[in-house]
């Protein structure tokens, strides 16, 4: 065939892959047509569409002559492939060396390529110099650029000055406000748009639906949905995906499902949206079912799909599926491509208690961002490894490129709360203030929790009244803190204040409230609010609520009522329910019911050593050593080991940990001398050791030594010899304070003229002048 008869236009249209483009390029070279500026410019664009911008540039450089259209094509090729630096460099070459001036088509892509405001302002100056500022597309691009860097006020001024606006201009302004979280302004622009008779298109509708979801504005979201239906836009793919996401944010899964089912065409985004909707609303079974449906129609998952899938298997607590998901990700080499998927895998393992596996994945990530570090810190904290969480944070601090953010403090502060490391927590509080994050509701709530759990309830309350209190999060925290300090009546007043201010109550609110009633013996109040929760607020009782009620009744000595409550529960009791009953039997010495509760416990959770210890202690209290030996042998046969009792105290920003009977502390001899002196003074005031709390079958003369070597007494004695007179001592204990230590600490507070604050596994005890804040009820 003669060259003249070749239809090059048809050949360009037929090129669907890069190797076909290369053949066409070769034909253009052989035919001499490569010198044709129009055809070569088309070739520049074709290579860029296939993602091979290096071939675009080589073709561009070989052109003997170039016009402004060719330069614009090369700049657009760089932007299309996200090579923004090269796009700007090409633009500056055009401006300085080519002899051509940029035109209306040059500025939109190059403004998109601006990586900072300085470049953006330089290009804006050129726009003004060349008189292009009122071109609709250039003006819209300037609005996008300024909005991207947070200068939405400048963007609004440009928008107001536009003599003519099209739908794209309106969308740019709405999108700018949406990007910067200015919900009200975005909706104002929408109303202006409608007043001027400009119809919203799918882009407008989707942008506004997104901002309604972010701001919690369901009313405007539904009005926009109604508008989309009236305008025939509800079946648009872009709009439908936005509707699914919006309804998912509000937890309206039935609406999200209805939109999904009505879609004529679905893409991967649609499937990701519906899977994420159920995953984010704690319905992993339905989310997994949608994922399997997606596989059946052979739609390949992407990174976002796997992010949802990682969360789904975490919620299902399915270790086999976790390994399967991890294997799938490894086969696709996605850990190397995207740090977000690596973070999801770390989180996935951590949530199922596989913190060692989480650490291995973390260490193997090719790049780590601040979210990677936050995820690992959270993993250690959630698995009760507070010291390790703090250690990871200290390692993170050595990496100057990693800047702590809100998520870091939210991950880290619970670790200080767990350890009772008040001084270290206060240091973080200082950093939070410097970064202007102390008014953030989530950081502020973590600080409230930290001060409350470190014994500084007044500071916790002061912070509570400083942070925004529009949602339930800070309220739940302060109610819980008052509960563990034994201030049940104050917790109830805070709850009533929360109701008066029309704050939405949630299931955690009532867990905190019922727990506070339990710690203070407010049985009637607890029963009342348990009823109110279900009847007035329609909150379905969970295992935590039932556990609180069993604990409330049992702790108050109503053991039969607690057992009857369990029998009448509409769901099968789990380990937490039977554990609460067993704990109450331990307090009130009911061996028979305790044995029954433990038998039920071992049926549902035979691996928790704490339950064996509780039953063993019940037998020991009554001197039934055969029962003690039987329970301990059962635990040993199952390979379970008792958690050693420890108490910690923070002095001079250093946390010292004491284990029961441990003699390795550098000041052990001084501690023993102080303990002997205190014991003698206590006996002179009437203290009589209660040997029923010695849980070993030993001779009488050994029992007093065992009581004296309990971890909290070692820590208190160390605090007395290490701090100035009358200094408050704060102790943190991992187990429940024994009755004899509780009684002894009351005497010590009188002798030493100090306030001694002890946080055990259940609550706080404030000892002062021979009394305890719990009123001997704990």
């Amino acid at each position: 065939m003669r060259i003249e008869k070749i239809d090059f236009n048809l050949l360009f249209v037929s090129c669907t892959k890069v190797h076909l483009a290369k053949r066409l390029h070769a034909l253009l070279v052989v035919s001499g047509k490569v010198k044709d500026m129009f055809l070569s410019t088309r070739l520049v664009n074709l290579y860029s569409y296939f993602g091979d911008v290096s071939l675009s540039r080589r073709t561009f450089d070989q052109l003997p002559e170039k016009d402004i259209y060719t330069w614009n094509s090369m700049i657009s090729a760089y932007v299309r492939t996200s090579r923004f630096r090269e796009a700007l460099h090409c633009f500056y070459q055009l401006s300085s060396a080519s002899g051509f001036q940029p035109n209306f088509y040059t500025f939109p892509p190059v403004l998109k390529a601006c990586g900072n405001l300085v470049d953006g302002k330089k290009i804006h100056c050129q726009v003004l110099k060349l008189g292009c500022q009122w071109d609709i597309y250039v003006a819209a691009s300037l609005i996008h650029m300024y909005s991207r860097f947070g200068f939405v006020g400048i963007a609004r001024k440009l928008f107001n000055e536009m003599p003519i606006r099209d739908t794209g201009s309106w969308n740019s302004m709405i999108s700018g406000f949406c990007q910067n979280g200015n919900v009200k302004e975005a909706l104002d622009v929408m109303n202006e748009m409608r007043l001027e008779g400009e119809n919203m298109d799918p882009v407008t509708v989707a942008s506004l639906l997104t901002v309604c979801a972010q701001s919690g504005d369901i009313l405007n979201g539904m009005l926009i949905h109604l508008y989309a239906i009236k305008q025939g836009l509800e079946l648009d793919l872009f709009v439908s995906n936005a509707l699914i996401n919006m309804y998912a944010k509000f937890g309206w899964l039935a609406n999200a499902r209805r939109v999904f089912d009505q879609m004529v065409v679905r893409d991967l985004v649609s499937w990701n949206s519906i899977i994420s909707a159920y995953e984010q609303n704690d319905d992993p079974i339905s989310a997994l079912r949608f994922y399997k449906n997606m596989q059946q129609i052979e739609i390949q998952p992407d990174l976002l799909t796997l992010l949802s899938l990682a969360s789904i298997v975490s919620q299902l607590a399915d270790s086999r599926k976790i390994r399967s998901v991890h294997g799938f990700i490894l086969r696709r080499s996605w850990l190397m491509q995207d740090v977000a998927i690596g973070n999801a895998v770390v989180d996935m393992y951590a949530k199922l208690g596989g913190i060692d596996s989480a650490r291995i994945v973390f260490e193997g990530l090719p790049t780590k961002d601040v979210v990677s570090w936050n995820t690992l810190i959270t993993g250690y904290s959630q698995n009760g490894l507070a010291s390790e969480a703090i250690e990871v944070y200290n390692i993170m601090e050595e990496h100057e490129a990693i800047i702590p953010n809100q998520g870091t403090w939210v991950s880290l502060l619970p670790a200080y709360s767990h350890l009772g490391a008040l001084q270290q927590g206060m240091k973080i509080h200082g950093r939070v203030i410097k970064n202007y994050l102390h008014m953030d509701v989530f950081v502020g709530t973590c600080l409230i929790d930290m001060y409350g759990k470190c014994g500084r309830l007044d500071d916790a309350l002061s912070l509570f009244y400083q942070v925004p209190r529009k949602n339930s999060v800070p309220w739940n925290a302060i109610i819980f803190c008052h509960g563990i300090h034994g201030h049940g009546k104050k917790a109830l007043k805070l709850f009533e204040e929360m109701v008066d201010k029309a704050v939405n109550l949630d299931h955690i609110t009532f867990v905190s409230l019922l727990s506070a009633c339990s710690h203070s013996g407010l049985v009637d109040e607890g029963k009342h609010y348990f009823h109110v929760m279900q009847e007035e607020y329609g909150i379905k009782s969970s295992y935590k609520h039932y556990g609180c009620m069993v604990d409330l009744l049992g702790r108050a000595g109503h053991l039969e009522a607690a057992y009857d409550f369990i029998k009448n529960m509409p769901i099968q009791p789990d380990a937490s329910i039977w554990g609460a009953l067993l704990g109450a039997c331990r307090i009130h010495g009911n061996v028979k019911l305790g044995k029954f509760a433990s038998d039920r416990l071992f049926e549902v959770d035979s691996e928790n050593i704490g339950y064996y210890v509780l039953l063993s202690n019940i037998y020991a209290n009554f001197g039934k050593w055969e029962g003690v030996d039987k329970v301990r042998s059962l635990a040993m046969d199952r390979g379970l080991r008792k958690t050693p009792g420890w108490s910690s105290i923070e002095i001079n920003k250093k946390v010292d940990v004491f284990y029961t009977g441990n003699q390795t502390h550098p000041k052990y001899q001084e501690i023993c001398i102080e303990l002997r002196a205190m014991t003698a003074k206590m006996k002179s005031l009437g203290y009589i050791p209660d040997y029923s709390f010695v849980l070993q079958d030993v001779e009488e003369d050994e029992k007093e030594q065992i009581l004296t070597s309990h971890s909290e007494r070692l820590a208190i004695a160390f605090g007395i010899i290490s701090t100035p007179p009358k200094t408050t001592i704060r102790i943190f204990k991992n187990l429940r304070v024994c009755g004899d230590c509780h009684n002894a600490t009351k005497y010590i507070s009188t002798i030493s003229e100090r306030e001694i604050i002890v946080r055990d596994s259940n609550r706080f005890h404030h000892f002062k002048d021979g009394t305890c804040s719990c009123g001997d009820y704990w």
Side-chain angles (χ1 to χ4, degrees), residues 724-738:
K726 298 190 178 181
T727 303
T728 298
I729 295 174
R730 289 181 171 83
I731 307 295
F732 300 88
K733 183 173 172 60
N734 69 325
L735 304 178
R736 186 176 180 271
V737 171
C738 86

Side-chain angles (χ1 to χ4, degrees), residues 64 92 109 118 522 640:
Y92 290 131
V118 174
L522 303 175
L640 305 176

Side-chain angles (χ1 to χ4, degrees), residues 199-202 205 224-240 243 264:
N199 286 327
M200 294 190 284
D201 66 3
V205 171
I224 293 164
H225 187 182
L226 182 62
Y227 175 89
I229 293 170
K230 287 180 178 178
Q231 297 296 319
L233 299 175
E234 80 277 13
L235 297 181
D236 178 88
L237 184 63
F238 200 40
V239 171
S240 294
L243 282 166
V264 179

Side-chain angles (χ1 to χ4, degrees), residues 170-181:
W170 289 96
N171 288 346
S172 296
M173 196 63 253
I174 290 170
S175 175
F177 281 125
C178 292
Q179 285 174 18
N180 288 277

Side-chain angles (χ1 to χ4, degrees), residues 529-594:
Y529 284 112
F530 183 75
H531 175 77
V532 164
M533 174 186 76
Q534 299 174 97
E535 299 300 322
E536 292 187 23
Y537 293 97
I539 296 174
K540 187 178 179 182
S541 299
S542 69
Y543 280 111
K544 287 186 178 179
H545 299 112
Y546 288 121
C548 285
M549 287 302 296
V550 173
D551 188 62
L552 171 73
L553 295 167
R555 196 185 293 270
H558 307 319
L559 296 178
E560 290 302 323
Y563 178 48
D564 289 339
F565 181 85
I566 293 173
K567 288 191 291 186
N568 292 319
M569 281 170 49
I571 56 175
Q572 282 294 109
D574 69 350
S576 67
I577 305 298
W578 291 116
L581 183 61
L582 180 60
C585 292
R586 159 75 174 87
I587 294 168
H588 297 287
N590 191 321
V591 179
K592 183 179 178 182
L593 187 58

Side-chain angles (χ1 to χ4, degrees), residues 353-426:
I355 193 65
D356 291 337
S357 298
R359 184 64 180 261
I360 290 168
V361 174
F362 172 83
E363 297 292 354
L365 293 178
T367 56
K368 301 178 183 75
D369 60 9
V370 67
V371 178
S372 312
W373 290 93
N374 293 350
T375 303
L376 189 62
I377 292 168
T378 301
Y380 277 116
S381 290
Q382 289 176 345
N383 283 279
L385 301 168
S387 297
E388 289 81 352
I390 294 168
E391 180 188 347
V392 171
Y393 167 71
N394 291 334
I395 297 170
M396 172 184 161
E397 286 282 82
E398 296 171 6
H399 295 74
E400 294 181 2
I402 304 295
I403 308 298
N405 62 8
Q406 178 220 41
T408 312
W409 313 128
V410 170
S411 305
L412 182 64
L413 284 166
Y416 291 122
S417 300
H418 180 78
L419 288 178
L422 175 63
Q423 292 173 346
Q424 295 178 50
M426 290 173 73

